[in-house]
Amino acid sequence: HLALVLPALSFLLLKSEFKDACERIESHLKGMEAVKKEYLQWPLKKKVDRGNHKSQQLLVQVKRKVCVETLGVCGDSDIPGPLDRSRNNCETCDVIVKSLAGHLARYENQDISDYRREGLLEEKMATFCKEFDKEAFDDPGLKSTADIMVYCTELVRLSAEDIKSSFNRHKSDTGAVLRDVCPRNNKCGLFPGHFEL
């Protein structure tokens, strides 16, 4: 009898999961109309080139508009808006740590082994300090993301082991990693409490 009951139970469980998934997809598709409207706000005849700095900045702007302002699937601090002043070290470090956390989130960060997590971080840290055109707005004084790239290079050089051990300790608790890795004493007020990706 058990052989007959188990498939029936698993079907009922899957049925519930399928229903939840369908509801999420339907909700997402309704949101796509809003996304379409945001894309229509792009300047007409604006050419977007891969690897072009101005194009990358435009993509950051659209990413913020769609993910934070229109769909509300990201918090305001996940994709910070443009600044009217230079970034301080805390804000720069915040961008870098969240970029690493976002990379790990693609791999079920909570459930992978420490060894695998370290490997993913090492692979990412070997190249990603040059990638921040895609991640953040320009520093208004520099008119580039060079401030993040310089800080990132130094942070990785001096703290790669601390970064790996902090992610191993805290898994997907990005706030705890920020408190471990970024400038001490929480002077920026960026990390008021526990949050996860």
Side-chain angles (χ1 to χ4, degrees):
H1 296 321
L2 195 57
L4 295 173
V5 173
L6 286 176
L9 282 174
S10 66
F11 174 74
L12 289 173
L13 289 171
L14 285 173
K15 189 176 172 186
S16 159
E17 286 176 20
F18 281 132
K19 186 175 180 238
D20 290 348
C22 287
E23 284 171 2
R24 284 199 299 273
I25 289 167
E26 189 180 341
S27 162
H28 177 71
L29 290 174
K30 285 177 186 166
M32 291 308 289
E33 282 306 307
V35 173
K36 208 159 114 184
K37 287 177 191 163
E38 293 302 344
Y39 274 91
L40 291 174
Q41 292 180 25
W42 280 38
L44 289 176
K45 298 182 183 172
K46 191 84 166 175
K47 190 176 176 188
V48 177
D49 295 314
R50 181 180 165 84
N52 173 291
H53 181 72
K54 284 186 180 176
S55 296
Q56 298 290 15
Q57 286 289 286
L58 182 61
L59 291 172
V60 175
Q61 181 182 328
V62 170
K63 186 172 156 184
R64 178 174 170 76
K65 211 156 190 39
V66 171
C67 299
V68 178
E69 296 171 21
T70 305
L71 293 179
V73 293
C74 296
D76 201 52
S77 67
D78 293 324
I79 308 170
L83 290 173
D84 56 1
R85 55 173 175 73
S86 292
R87 272 180 281 264
N88 61 37
N89 285 347
C90 270
E91 290 161 331
T92 309
C93 188
D94 183 74
V95 172
I96 294 162
V97 170
K98 284 181 179 173
S99 177
L100 287 170
H103 176 68
L104 288 176
R106 300 175 195 161
Y107 299 92
E108 304 286 342
N109 182 27
Q110 194 64 36
D111 301 317
I112 60 176
S113 70
D114 289 355
Y115 178 78
R116 171 87 169 119
R117 190 177 297 105
E118 284 185 18
L120 290 168
L121 285 167
E122 284 168 7
E123 180 183 33
K124 183 71 173 168
M125 287 191 288
T127 59
F128 91 124
C129 289
K130 297 174 184 171
E131 297 173 359
F132 284 100
D133 279 357
K134 306 169 196 164
E135 307 279 339
F137 286 99
D138 277 344
D139 178 291
L142 297 171
K143 302 288 186 220
S144 76
T145 51
D147 61 325
I148 302 176
M149 294 179 212
V150 169
Y151 189 97
C152 177
T153 303
E154 279 302 291
L155 184 68
V156 168
R157 187 176 70 78
L158 297 172
S159 305
E161 292 305 313
D162 292 340
I163 291 168
K164 288 187 289 187
S165 64
S166 182
F167 272 109
N168 275 340
R169 205 168 33 257
H170 302 300
K171 312 277 191 279
S172 59
D173 183 357
T174 311
V177 178
L178 286 166
R179 286 187 290 275
D180 276 358
V181 172
C182 292
R184 302 288 186 255
N185 304 325
N186 196 18
K187 288 181 181 172
C188 313
L190 279 177
F191 328 125
H194 174 95
F195 64 95
E196 294 191 5
L197 281 176

